[in-house]
Structure formats: structure tokens, C-alpha cells
Amino acid sequence: MGKRGRACVVVLGDLGRSPRMQYHALSLARQASLQVDIVAYGGSIPHEAVLKHPSIHIHTMAQPRFINLLPKILYPVTLLLKAFIQFTMLLWFLFVKVPAPDIFLVQNPPSVPTLIAVKWASSWRHAAFVVDWHNFGYTLLALSLGRNNLFVSLYRWFEKHYGKMATGSLCVTKAMQHELEQNWGVSARVLYDQPPEFFRAALLEERDELFCRVKKDLCHPIGVYDIISRELENQEPSETLFTTKRNDEISLKQNRPALVVSSTSWTPDENFGILLEAAVMYDRRVAARSEGSETAEIAEEQRLYPNLLFIITGKGPEKEMYEEKIKRLNLKHVAFRTMWLSAEDYPLLLGSADLGVCLHTSSSGLDLPMKVVDMFGCGLPVCSVSYSCIQELVKDGQNGLLFSSSSELADQLLILFKGFPRNCDALMSLKAGAMETGSSGRWATEWEDCAKPLITQAKSISSLCLYLTHIFFCWTISHKMSDPCRSCLKMRNDERELKTGVLGCSSQLIM
């Protein structure tokens, strides 16, 4: 697949928090048999499969953290200074430190200065340039500055101008594909997010080991003594919150709380307040059903509706604000825990949970939350905020439910968890749908069908351009093609093969 046999994946962000680009790197190494260089920021630890693959080489850039110390009144200056430093660093890595690749694959957003730097590097190093559109960068900037801000308009111009220069493009939804084609002049192939093989339902042994590892995080790490804290204090040594072990046999506890998982970046495009309000409503409704009842009836109500444990994973700027709100809730039947899990433990948590909640709304309304894809891979049904293109992924009533308000989410929690864990038919029906969705497609298959042809064609174009450049260079020196250099002779042997692979690529790239 080309002369150099290399690809460069560019992520202007924390690689450990960019799962799609990690999966791209693994596919380029495994399925395209390329040496892969990843240029990204450090921070979170990437998945073990990425770290241990012999063909993947990670080049970590240092983040300009001092910029965050500048006063907010200088925010426009901060944006420009940050972009300049990032641009300079990217040029150093892409022009000098990283071996010349056949193809650059870049995540968008962020768009500025990433697209500019990668375009310049691809031209200088005669490599193909493919953009993977996850969202539109200007819409994210507009969340803090407003759509009519001058910086947002400039950002959009750069994003559109340099995005159109790419050799090829991938995107995450059909809605985004339509937007790119109609209003941006960019032809993109849809590469839906699909869960890799390590997202699956967890075995009982894996659940038991996981909850033993995270027991300290489950106690009361955010200063709240709640129903989960009390239950953990009364546990036997052979128990976890959800499992029990007797004679080396592990089973799920019948009186366990229901485990609800949500992953968030704690940013303004995910209104976490909706989940807090829904949790309060669930707590009050369950408590109200018990009040005024006889002792036997209270016990029956408590068996009918379980206690809920919400585990919220992720890092982000609004995390501390919401943790303070959680401390003041004073809930009787609901508890919250926030934590950050390793790339290996996160799939196990999803595979051990009973329900997922997604609060992602999308700044553009055109992207899909990858967290939901991961949940489906583990057979986990999802309650998701409804927005324009979410139904490309969440089929309401089949593999999940859609809601538009906290009261709707609270109603869904009551419906799904009534009779938990044995007699919750509505939840089991959605779980079956989630299992079917998760098993219907995997990342490797989707990448082979949708991304690999684009990568192959883009690399063929890159190889032909490199060949023609070399021919021109030889002609310039010798002024005749009858006496080419040895490299030129070698490249001529591949000319027919290159032309065969490249003819028609321009038309095929948009199919």
C-alpha cells in the first residue's frame, strides 16, 4: 500500500480521551499493515492494545499550560497565542520529528491550527491528507463566544477552506455528510463509530474483580454519606456491592442496587443538571410510595423499586461544580459516584451496568456520541437526550429511550427499573435490542468496508504525486528522460501499477 508504508495520525488533544483515533491507529496497523505514528498530547493513558502494538509509535507533544493562567479579560489574546504555539509545535513534529508518511489522518475538531499545519506538512512531504470529521470546530467555539463573534466566523472560514483541500474525508453521520456536501463543498464517506472487540458484556468473575478494585471510589469519595456508603460498611469480606462469592462461586446479589452509568466530558454541551433533577424526582417518588404504608407494604415497595447508583466517568471543567451540587441533594434511594477509569476498566464497567444515560446534545446537531456506541457494544440499553440525528443510533423503544426533559427521564427510570432485577420486562426488552445493535457491527468490519478503500485510494494518489515530482526533479537536473537515476528507474517499474490504482480515484473518493 505505498512506498513508505507509514501513516501519521494527528490528534490535537489527549490521545487517551480520543478513542476513535486510537481505533484508527490500530486499524491502520492491523488491517492496512502500516507503521503508524501518532502525534498527540499526553494525559490519559491510551488503551493497552495501542501501547503494546509494535507498529504504533506515539509522539507526545507538551501542552502550553501556562496560557490557562492568563486572566479571562485577555481571552482573545489567549486564543491567538495558544493557536500560534500549537501551530509551531505541530510544524516541528510533522515536518521534522515524524518520519515521512504516505498519509496524514487528522481529527477535526479542533480545526485551527490543526488542519493548516497538516495541510502544509502533507504538501511538503508529498503525502495524502485525510480529515476525520467528528464535529464542526466553529460550533464548539460558538458555545463560549456566540455564533456572531468575529473569531467564530474566522474559525469557520479556516475550517471550511482547509477542509476542502483534503485528499479525502470521513465523517460520523449521514446528516454531517449531507451538510459537508451541500454547504461546504466536501465529499465525505460515513464511517459510523462501532465498538471494538473489547466492549462486551462482562463475565461474573470480571465484575467481581472490578468492584473489588473500585471499592475505595464507591465508599464516599465526594464527602457524602449515603445509602451506598452504609451498605458497603455492612458488607462481608466475600461480597462486593453487586456480587457475592460462596465456595468459589460468584453470583449477583438479588438485593443489589441498579447500576446506571454515564460518561461525560463535563462541558456545557452536556447538561448534567437534567440527570440530577431526574434522580431527585425518582428518589422522591419512591420515597412517597413508602410513606404512609404499613411495614409489609413498605418492604414490598422497596423491593419493587431498587436503589440507584449512578457512576459518572470522565474529566472536564464543570466536574467540581456538579460534585458540589450532588453533596447538597440529600437523597435516600439514589447515590452518585464520579470517577476516572483506565481504558481497560471502562469497558468492564459498561459491561457490568444495567442502564446507560447519555446527555450529549452536540454543538452542531450533526454528530453522534461514541459513548452510546460503546454501551451498545456491551449490550447496555441507553436513555439519551433527543436531538436532530440521534435516531441514526438510538432507536426509541428498541435499544433505548429518548427524552427531552428531566421529568421524562425520571418516568423512564421508574418504568425500566420497576421489579428490578428479576421482573423488569421493559428493561430486558431494551437490553435485547442493545445486544442486537452491538453485535450487528464492529469497528474492524466498518473500517474495512468504509475507511480502508478511501485510505488506499488516497495513498495511491500520494504515491503517484511523489513519482511525478521525482520525475520532474530528474528532468530538471539532466534535461532528458533518457538518463534517469536509479530511483527513477525503480519507480518507473511501478508506474503502470500506480496508474491502474489511481485512475478514477477522484470519482471514487466521493462514493
Side-chain angles (χ1 to χ4, degrees):
M1 285 184 61
K3 301 302 173 188
R4 296 161 176 164
R6 301 194 78 92
C8 182
V9 176
V10 183
V11 183
L12 194 63
D14 185 341
L15 178 61
R17 297 171 66 184
S18 304
R20 182 176 167 103
M21 301 312 287
Q22 293 183 60
Y23 305 158
H24 269 304
L26 285 170
S27 292
L28 287 165
R30 292 172 176 174
Q31 297 169 248
S33 302
L34 296 174
Q35 294 291 318
V36 181
D37 297 291
I38 303 177
V39 176
Y41 287 137
S44 308
I45 301 174
H47 196 276
E48 187 177 9
V50 175
L51 295 175
K52 291 187 174 181
H53 199 288
S55 298
I56 297 178
H57 318 280
I58 299 176
H59 306 264
T60 304
M61 299 184 293
Q63 296 198 48
R65 298 185 184 279
F66 73 92
I67 293 178
N68 298 328
L69 302 176
L70 296 176
K72 291 184 178 181
I73 195 172
L74 298 176
Y75 186 64
V77 177
T78 301
L79 285 177
L80 293 174
L81 180 59
K82 184 177 181 180
F84 175 76
I85 294 173
Q86 291 174 333
F87 183 63
T88 305
M89 192 175 300
L90 279 171
L91 291 182
W92 167 250
F93 274 82
L94 302 183
F95 275 70
V96 180
K97 291 202 69 176
V98 175
D102 296 294
I103 185 167
F104 286 99
L105 176 61
V106 57
Q107 170 185 295
N108 184 73
S111 315
V112 179
T114 323
L115 296 184
I116 306 170
V118 175
K119 174 55 186 173
W120 287 15
S122 67
S123 298
W124 176 258
R125 309 195 85 165
H126 305 290
F129 165 35
V130 174
V131 180
D132 190 19
W133 296 82
H134 298 193
N135 201 346
F136 292 117
Y138 82 94
T139 63
L140 294 172
L141 186 63
L143 290 176
S144 56
L145 298 181
R147 289 262 178 169
N148 298 323
N149 186 276
L150 176 61
F151 279 99
V152 174
S153 299
L154 286 172
Y155 197 104
R156 186 182 187 278
W157 184 88
F158 276 108
E159 187 171 21
K160 181 177 181 179
H161 181 72
Y162 281 91
K164 291 169 67 174
M165 293 184 178
T167 314
S169 293
L170 299 166
C171 64
V172 295
T173 64
K174 291 180 180 178
M176 182 175 289
Q177 180 189 45
H178 183 266
E179 172 69 16
L180 285 168
E181 185 173 357
Q182 294 296 315
N183 299 321
W184 290 60
V186 174
S187 296
R189 290 190 180 192
V190 178
L191 174 64
Y192 281 118
D193 286 319
Q194 296 287 0
E197 68 279 0
F198 41 80
F199 281 93
R200 54 173 177 76
L203 303 175
L204 283 175
E205 293 80 1
E206 293 173 325
R207 298 186 188 194
D208 188 69
E209 292 171 1
L210 172 67
F211 293 123
C212 285
R213 285 196 298 273
V214 302
K215 185 174 182 178
K216 289 183 180 179
D217 295 314
L218 293 176
C219 291
H220 41 90
I222 57 175
V224 177
Y225 188 79
D226 53 28
I227 191 167
I228 299 300
S229 305
R230 289 191 292 273
E231 188 167 339
L232 287 169
E233 286 182 353
N234 298 324
Q235 273 184 2
E236 297 292 332
S238 60
E239 292 182 330
T240 71
L241 190 60
F242 301 93
T243 61
T244 183
K245 182 186 292 187
R246 287 185 175 84
N247 299 322
D248 293 330
E249 290 189 6
I250 300 171
S251 60
L252 291 173
K253 297 164 71 173
Q254 291 303 309
N255 62 341
R256 67 185 184 274
L259 177 56
V260 185
V261 175
S262 182
S263 176
T264 178
S265 55
W266 302 101
T267 51
D269 64 337
E270 295 190 48
N271 185 2
F272 194 71
I274 292 177
L275 181 57
L276 296 188
E277 292 171 4
V280 170
M281 292 178 190
Y282 177 92
D283 187 79
R284 289 176 178 172
R285 292 178 192 178
V286 172
R289 290 172 180 270
S290 301
E291 291 177 0
S293 302
E294 298 295 332
T295 304
E297 293 177 353
I298 292 175
E300 181 62 29
E301 288 291 343
Q302 290 175 344
R303 284 196 296 269
L304 193 59
Y305 293 98
N307 295 326
L308 301 186
L309 171 60
F310 289 90
I311 294 183
I312 316 299
T313 69
K315 298 178 181 178
E318 296 187 346
K319 180 179 179 180
E320 292 183 1
M321 177 188 74
Y322 280 112
E323 284 182 337
E324 288 300 317
K325 290 185 177 181
I326 290 171
K327 290 179 183 179
R328 299 193 293 268
L329 290 180
N330 191 28
L331 302 174
K332 296 179 180 179
H333 300 280
V334 178
F336 282 88
R337 296 293 183 268
T338 60
M339 61 180 70
W340 174 258
L341 295 171
S342 69
E344 289 70 41
D345 279 348
Y346 176 64
L348 292 177
L349 177 66
L350 297 187
S352 304
D354 301 299
L355 182 69
V357 173
C358 176
L359 302 167
H360 178 83
T361 54
S362 175
S363 60
S364 65
L366 299 172
D367 68 314
L368 294 173
M370 193 165 187
K371 67 193 79 176
V372 174
V373 175
D374 296 336
M375 291 173 182
F376 286 160
C378 295
L380 184 64
V382 177
C383 291
S384 174
V385 171
S386 180
Y387 64 94
S388 56
C389 68
I390 189 63
Q391 292 190 29
E392 287 189 41
L393 179 60
V394 180
K395 310 300 181 184
D396 194 26
Q398 297 180 26
N399 54 19
L401 297 175
L402 300 175
F403 61 88
S404 300
S405 64
S406 55
S407 60
E408 283 187 56
L409 177 57
D411 290 340
Q412 291 171 2
L413 293 174
L414 286 164
I415 292 170
L416 294 177
F417 287 119
K418 183 178 181 180
F420 181 86
R422 290 185 175 179
N423 302 314
C424 44
D425 295 340
L427 181 63
M428 291 300 102
S429 175
L430 292 183
K431 186 173 182 64
M435 290 287 288
E436 183 179 351
T437 301
S439 62
S440 63
R442 288 287 168 172
W443 172 266
T445 304
E446 186 80 4
W447 196 90
E448 187 78 22
D449 294 341
C450 300
K452 189 175 180 180
L454 178 78
I455 298 295
T456 304
Q457 292 165 359
K459 284 179 78 281
S460 297
I461 292 175
S462 171
S463 297
L464 181 60
C465 291
L466 186 62
Y467 166 74
L468 294 175
T469 301
H470 188 80
I471 292 293
F472 179 77
F473 177 75
C474 291
W475 180 85
T476 303
I477 293 176
S478 64
H479 296 285
K480 57 182 178 179
M481 290 304 296
S482 59
D483 187 26
C485 67
R486 290 182 180 179
S487 297
C488 192
L489 285 171
K490 183 178 184 301
M491 295 181 76
R492 274 184 173 180
N493 293 331
D494 297 326
E495 179 179 8
R496 182 171 297 178
E497 179 184 346
L498 280 170
K499 286 182 177 178
T500 301
V502 172
L503 285 176
C505 277
S506 298
S507 61
Q508 291 178 25
L509 280 172
I510 64 174
M511 290 176 65

